[in-house]
């Protein structure tokens, strides 16, 4: 398979750590995304590395037995280590603080600690088989304070740091899940919900494994993902992933089902709001996008893979010198892949460019790309590609693509306008915290389209000019449909294209019926076209008159064309003749070499002076120039 066929890849700069072996144990912290390599129980060293850590943390600790769990608090201030089923040991990593360990035993009698989660830099949760205990760590006092606890039988737990939610598996079958939400020293119990098992269990033993559950934030909402395996007794064609939406308020609800159409062992990741399902037997992966249209059955939406199954692109391990498949790996949420046997931690990434050729439906492709973080240049390349000779799309398809882009563009413009109005109205002081809209890469504006697509497209000689004009007008139509003000450079592009192909009658119609919006730059462009198309001069003047804010430009245009009387009539028509410069008009009249015209203009200004000042003489500043022009005009005769 060529590189262009892979749409999933591992990041270029992974975290490299010492491989797992009998002496070295590897742990992963889901909150800080750190890998701990613990040698000989810590006696011969602990090395902590994370994706964003430039400098790894290294230290030693006394070997007090096998380490079951090890994690730093947020900001790496306090280290917590679990070695027994009853206690957790703490060490401060705060400058000028005591290095002595302190220990906290779980409060519930006969309970065993299953694990712990840091929810902030000084707050920690113990999960036991009999409940949950929420503590505040007081590093300066070297002890812990119990904030809240809840008794409940627990089979296993899962923590989603992005949503600050801990999920507990309860009941004998394990399929009743109890979520707890943590924030700023508070613990909130959310409504419990039941996971529907694929078939009625034959025995009363644990039927829901933590291997088949994941939690992730998708499009800003927290979901519980359940990998429901194929049941021989059901009519299902294969396994599926069921998505339960877990809101902060209200009950958890089953929303989406991802159809895998295959059986076997699977692993889950979430990358760029896409659910990635890895199939172990075939070593391939598929992606699902819950924002794309699915099949709604009245209660849930069914989704199929967006693309055909593909392997993750083999990673180039430096020592190996060639691309090798990652083996013995484990997926961690949301987008992490760890190979303890090879000593690497990667972030999984989606490659957008290969997807362009794998998703032929341009409308669906745009829907998909507009939801991705790094989408702009790929979207622009798709727009360019669909206008090329070899891959030319039909006008309805092009219109669909433009509409999808401009819908997103308009959404951003409206949000920006609402924000500006709210700030000007002073709502930022009294109302809730206002946030300026974020301009994501999905906002493809007119400048982007002009620079990267349309201006390049119009320069291609082999493209039929009718198609070129149709595409330009389709883009302008789409902008108008979404009530987006069309920038003058797009209208200029249309005019230049029409002139280039001598389509003057079409140009005249576009201007006459206001298909092209009035603007000063457009009027100036029309003036420059007079030598090619004489009516362009009058079209320009008409446009300037319609603008009503371009009076000075109209006068300058008329004077430059030696139409001095027309300029004077225009100024009188708008009532501005009392304030105009006599010299400018006398200069223009002299250049016509029409003495009668000059005399008429001279007498007009004398009469104006008489009316305004009771004297026909010009002001001292204008008098010398006026007399000089009079002398040179009539004495040369």
């Amino acid at each position: 398979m060529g590189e262009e066929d892979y749409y999933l890849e591992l990041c270029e700069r992974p975290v490299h750590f010492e491989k797992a072996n009998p002496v070295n144990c590897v742990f992963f912290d889901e909150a800080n995304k750190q890998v701990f390599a613990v040698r000989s129980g810590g006696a011969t060293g602990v090395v902590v590395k994370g994706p964003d850590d430039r400098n790894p943390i290294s230290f030693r600790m006394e070997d007090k037995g096998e380490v079951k769990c090890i994690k730093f608090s947020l900001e790496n201030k306090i280290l917590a280590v679990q070695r027994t089923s009853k206690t957790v040991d703490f060490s401060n990593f705060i400058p000028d603080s005591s290095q002595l360990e302190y220990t906290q035993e779980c409060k519930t009698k006969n309970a065993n600690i299953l694990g712990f989660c840091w929810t902030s830099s000084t707050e920690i949760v113990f999960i036991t088989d009999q409940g949950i205990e929420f503590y505040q760590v007081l590093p300066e006092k070297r002890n812990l304070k119990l904030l809240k606890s809840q008794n409940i039988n627990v089979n296993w737990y899962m923590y989603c740091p992005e949503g600050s939610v801990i999920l507990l598996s309860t009941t004998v079958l394990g399929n009743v899940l109890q979520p707890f939400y943590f924030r700023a020293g508070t613990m909130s119990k959310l409504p419990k919900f039941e996971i529907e098992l694929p078939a009625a269990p034959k025995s009363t033993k644990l039927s829901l494994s933590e291997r088949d559950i994941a939690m992730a934030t998708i499009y800003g909402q927290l979901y519980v993902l359940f990998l429901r395996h194929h049941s021989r007794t059901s009519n299902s064609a294969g396994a599926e992933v069921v998505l339960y939406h877990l809101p902060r308020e209200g009950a958890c609800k089953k929303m989406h089902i991802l159809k895998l159409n295959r059986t076997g062992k699977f692993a889950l990741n979430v990358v760029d709001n896409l659910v990635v399902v890895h199939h172990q037997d075939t070593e391939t992966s598929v992606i699902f996008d819950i924002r794309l249209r699915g099949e709604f059955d009245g209660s849930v939406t069914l989704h199929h893979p967006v693309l055909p199954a593909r392997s993750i692109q083999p990673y180039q391990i430096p020592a190996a010198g060639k691309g090798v498949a990652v083996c013995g790996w484990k997926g961690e949420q949301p987008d992490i892949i760890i190979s303890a046997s090879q000593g690497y931690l990667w972030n999984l990434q989606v490659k957008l460019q290969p997807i362009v050729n794998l998703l032929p439906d341009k409308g669906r492709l745009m829907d998909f790309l507009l939801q991705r973080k790094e989408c702009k240049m790929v979207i622009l390349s798709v727009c360019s590609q669909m206008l090329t000779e070899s891959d030319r799309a039909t006008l309805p398809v092009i219109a669909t693509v433009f509409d999808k882009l401009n819908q997103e563009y308009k959404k951003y413009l409206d949000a920006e306008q609402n924000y500006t109005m709210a700030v000007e109205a002073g709502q930022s002081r009294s109302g809730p915290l206002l946030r300026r809209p974020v301009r994501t890469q999905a906002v493809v504006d007119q400048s982007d389209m002009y620079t990267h697509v349309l201006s390049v497209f119009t320069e291609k000689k082999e493209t039929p000019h009718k198609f070129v004009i149709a595409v330009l007008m389709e883009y302008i139509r789409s902008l108008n449909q979404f009530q987006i003000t069309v920038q003058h450079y797009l209208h200029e592009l249309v005019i230049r294209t029409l002139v280039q192909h001598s389509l003057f009658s079409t140009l005249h119609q576009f201007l006459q019926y206001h298909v092209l919006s009035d603007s000063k730059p457009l009027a100036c462009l029309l003036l420059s076209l007079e030598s090619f198309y004489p009516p362009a001069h009058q079209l320009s003047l008409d446009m300037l008159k319609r603008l009503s804010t371009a009076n000075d430009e109209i006068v300058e245009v008329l004077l430059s064309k030696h139409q001095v009387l027309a300029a004077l009539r225009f100024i009188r028509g708008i009532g501005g003749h009392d304030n105009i410069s006599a010299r400018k008009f006398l200069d223009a009249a002299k250049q016509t070499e029409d003495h009668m015209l000059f005399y008429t203009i001279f007498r007009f200004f004398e009469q104006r002076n008489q009316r305004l000042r009771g004297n026909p003489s010009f002001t001292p500043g204008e008098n010398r120039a006026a007399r000089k022009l009079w002398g040179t005009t009539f004495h040369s005769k």
Side-chain angles (χ1 to χ4, degrees):
M1 227 187 307
E3 192 172 313
E4 64 280 358
D5 291 321
Y6 297 104
Y7 54 77
L8 290 170
E9 66 177 351
L10 302 170
C11 64
E12 283 184 8
R13 299 181 63 185
V15 176
H16 186 34
F17 55 89
E18 189 178 344
K19 298 174 187 177
N21 57 51
V23 179
N24 185 60
C25 294
V26 174
F27 299 89
F28 178 69
D29 171 12
E30 69 276 270
N32 289 317
K33 314 298 182 206
Q34 292 171 327
V35 176
F36 286 73
V38 182
R39 290 179 60 86
S40 309
T44 55
V46 178
V47 180
V48 187
K49 290 183 176 181
D52 303 319
D53 298 341
R54 291 179 184 173
N55 302 311
I57 303 168
S58 300
F59 57 91
R60 292 188 180 191
M61 56 187 189
E62 193 179 334
D63 186 358
K64 295 181 179 178
E66 181 193 351
V67 174
K68 295 178 183 293
C69 186
I70 181 168
K71 295 174 186 177
F72 267 116
S73 67
L74 305 187
E75 301 172 16
N76 300 330
K77 289 185 176 178
I78 306 164
L79 178 73
V81 184
Q82 183 192 349
R83 296 184 176 93
T84 74
S85 60
K86 302 293 181 185
T87 61
V88 177
D89 301 323
F90 295 86
S91 302
N92 294 336
F93 275 69
I94 304 166
D96 305 321
S97 179
S98 170
Q99 299 291 311
L100 291 172
E101 270 193 3
Y102 46 105
T103 301
Q104 178 64 47
E105 189 174 355
C106 66
K107 296 287 185 185
T108 312
K109 285 185 179 180
N110 304 319
N112 295 311
I113 298 173
L114 301 176
F116 61 85
C117 305
W118 286 100
T119 57
S120 78
S121 57
T122 55
E123 289 165 358
I124 193 167
V125 182
F126 290 6
I127 301 96
T128 73
D129 55 4
Q130 294 182 34
I132 192 166
E133 300 174 5
F134 184 35
Y135 292 95
Q136 182 181 8
V137 184
L138 306 168
E140 63 285 348
K141 294 182 179 178
R142 296 179 43 248
N143 63 23
L144 280 75
K145 175 186 172 186
L146 182 66
L147 298 175
K148 201 170 182 181
S149 65
Q150 177 91 38
N151 290 330
I152 184 171
N153 288 328
V154 180
N155 302 303
W156 49 262
Y157 75 96
M158 186 166 287
Y159 179 44
C160 178
E162 289 77 21
S164 293
V165 170
I166 292 177
L167 204 59
L168 306 181
S169 161
T170 68
T171 70
V172 177
L173 296 175
N175 66 323
V176 175
L177 301 182
Q178 175 62 66
F180 288 89
Y181 171 58
F182 297 85
R183 185 181 178 183
T186 61
M187 178 175 91
S188 308
K189 187 178 181 181
L190 303 180
K192 64 184 177 182
F193 61 99
E194 186 175 335
I195 297 285
E196 296 172 21
L197 298 171
K202 292 175 182 176
S203 61
T204 54
K205 66 176 186 179
L206 189 64
S207 298
L208 182 66
S209 163
E210 61 190 295
R211 286 194 308 273
D212 296 331
I213 293 287
M215 268 196 296
T217 301
I218 307 171
Y219 292 117
Q221 299 295 315
L222 185 61
Y223 287 90
V224 175
L225 290 75
F226 167 46
L227 182 58
R228 185 159 63 190
H229 291 280
H230 171 69
S231 168
R232 290 188 182 87
T233 57
S234 73
N235 297 322
S236 171
E240 51 195 31
V241 178
V242 185
L243 271 64
Y244 293 83
H245 178 223
L246 186 57
R248 292 272 162 81
E249 293 177 8
C252 186
K253 188 183 176 188
K254 183 162 75 167
M255 300 283 286
H256 302 274
I257 295 178
L258 316 181
K259 307 294 284 184
L260 303 180
N261 300 320
R262 51 178 54 176
T263 58
K265 289 186 177 178
F266 300 91
L268 300 173
N269 279 122
V270 173
V271 184
D272 201 2
N273 292 311
L274 296 168
V275 179
V276 184
V277 185
H278 310 283
H279 188 232
Q280 191 172 311
D281 298 348
T282 58
E283 293 185 353
T284 59
S285 307
V286 288
I287 57 176
F288 294 86
D289 187 350
I290 62 171
R291 278 267 173 97
L292 289 185
R293 187 180 296 163
E295 303 160 21
F296 186 64
D297 70 358
S299 59
V300 296
T301 306
L302 306 178
H303 300 268
H304 295 279
V306 176
L307 303 163
R310 291 283 187 274
S311 302
I312 299 171
Q313 185 173 331
Y315 178 73
Q316 189 90 21
I317 291 180
K322 63 181 191 302
V324 296
V326 178
C327 58
W329 60 268
K330 181 176 184 282
E332 295 285 354
Q333 296 312 316
D335 61 349
I336 285 172
I337 285 179
I338 300 175
S339 174
S341 61
Q342 290 171 306
Y344 283 94
L345 177 149
W346 293 273
N347 289 96
L348 185 63
Q349 297 172 341
V350 176
K351 294 169 68 178
L352 296 182
Q353 197 61 52
I355 293 170
V356 171
N357 298 322
L358 292 169
L359 203 54
D361 182 336
K362 289 286 190 289
R364 194 168 170 83
L365 175 63
M366 276 299 145
D367 288 339
F368 177 85
L369 291 176
L370 284 167
Q371 304 297 338
R372 310 284 74 84
K373 277 182 191 168
E374 304 291 328
C375 66
K376 181 173 283 188
M377 295 317 294
V378 180
I379 286 172
L380 291 169
S381 76
V382 170
C383 290
S384 294
Q385 185 183 326
M386 72 180 182
L387 301 178
T388 59
E389 193 76 36
S390 55
D391 292 310
R392 187 178 299 158
T394 62
L395 273 178
V397 169
I398 292 166
T400 299
V401 170
F402 288 163
D403 286 349
K404 287 181 185 296
L405 294 181
N406 289 327
Q407 187 175 12
E408 213 51 48
Y409 180 22
K410 175 64 172 172
K411 206 186 298 178
Y412 170 75
L413 291 176
D414 286 349
E416 185 72 32
Q417 186 182 16
N418 292 338
Y419 170 80
T420 305
M421 287 166 63
V423 169
E424 287 172 357
Q427 286 181 18
S428 54
R429 296 186 197 93
S430 57
L433 185 65
L434 273 176
R435 288 187 181 174
R436 191 178 196 122
V438 177
R439 187 183 179 120
T440 66
Q441 287 207 13
V443 179
V444 179
D445 63 18
Q446 297 173 67
S447 171
D448 296 322
M449 285 296 290
Y450 176 84
T451 306
H452 298 281
V453 181
L454 299 176
S455 61
V456 181
F457 166 60
T458 55
E459 288 167 10
K460 291 182 177 173
K461 300 286 187 288
E462 69 277 7
T463 311
H465 64 264
K466 285 186 179 178
F467 179 68
V468 172
I469 293 159
V471 168
L472 294 177
M473 296 315 296
E474 199 57 64
Y475 185 62
I476 290 170
R477 185 244 0 123
S478 180
L479 291 169
N480 286 327
Q481 183 177 313
F482 288 97
Q483 298 176 317
I484 300 169
T485 305
V486 182
Q487 294 298 315
H488 65 83
Y489 47 76
L490 289 173
H491 287 143
E492 287 175 24
L493 197 59
V494 173
I495 290 174
R496 289 184 197 281
T497 307
L498 291 168
V499 170
Q500 192 180 344
H501 296 285
S502 302
L503 298 169
F504 297 115
S505 59
T506 307
L507 170 60
H508 206 114
Q509 285 177 330
F510 280 0
L511 293 166
Q512 197 173 1
Y513 295 109
H514 307 296
V515 174
L516 304 175
S517 304
D518 296 343
S519 71
K520 287 183 187 179
L522 210 57
C524 293
L525 176 62
L526 286 170
L527 277 176
S528 70
L529 298 175
E530 189 184 2
S531 56
F532 301 103
Y533 183 53
H537 172 70
Q538 191 57 46
L539 288 168
S540 170
L541 278 184
D542 292 344
M543 184 178 288
L544 288 169
K545 284 176 185 173
R546 286 195 299 272
L547 286 167
S548 74
T549 56
N551 297 331
D552 292 344
E553 284 88 344
I554 293 172
V555 170
E556 293 296 336
V557 167
L558 291 170
L559 291 179
S560 70
K561 299 293 177 186
H562 306 303
Q563 296 178 22
V564 188
L565 278 177
L568 203 52
R569 284 193 203 101
F570 174 74
I571 285 290
R572 286 187 69 179
I574 61 169
H577 54 291
D578 288 350
N579 302 314
I580 55 173
S581 162
R583 182 172 179 175
K584 180 189 284 188
F585 279 77
L586 290 170
D587 265 331
K590 185 178 185 310
Q591 287 172 20
T592 65
E593 298 182 353
D594 182 339
H595 298 152
M596 197 63 208
L597 173 67
F598 183 86
Y599 178 77
T600 304
I601 299 297
F602 194 92
R603 291 293 296 156
F604 169 81
F605 282 108
E606 277 191 330
Q607 288 167 10
R608 182 192 73 166
N609 296 342
Q610 180 75 42
R611 180 170 49 80
L612 293 177
R613 295 193 292 274
N615 189 324
S617 300
F618 291 89
T619 59
E622 288 185 326
N623 190 46
R624 189 184 300 167
R627 291 294 161 190
K628 187 178 178 183
L629 285 166
W630 174 274
T632 55
T633 301
F634 288 103
H635 289 124
S636 61
K637 190 178 177 182

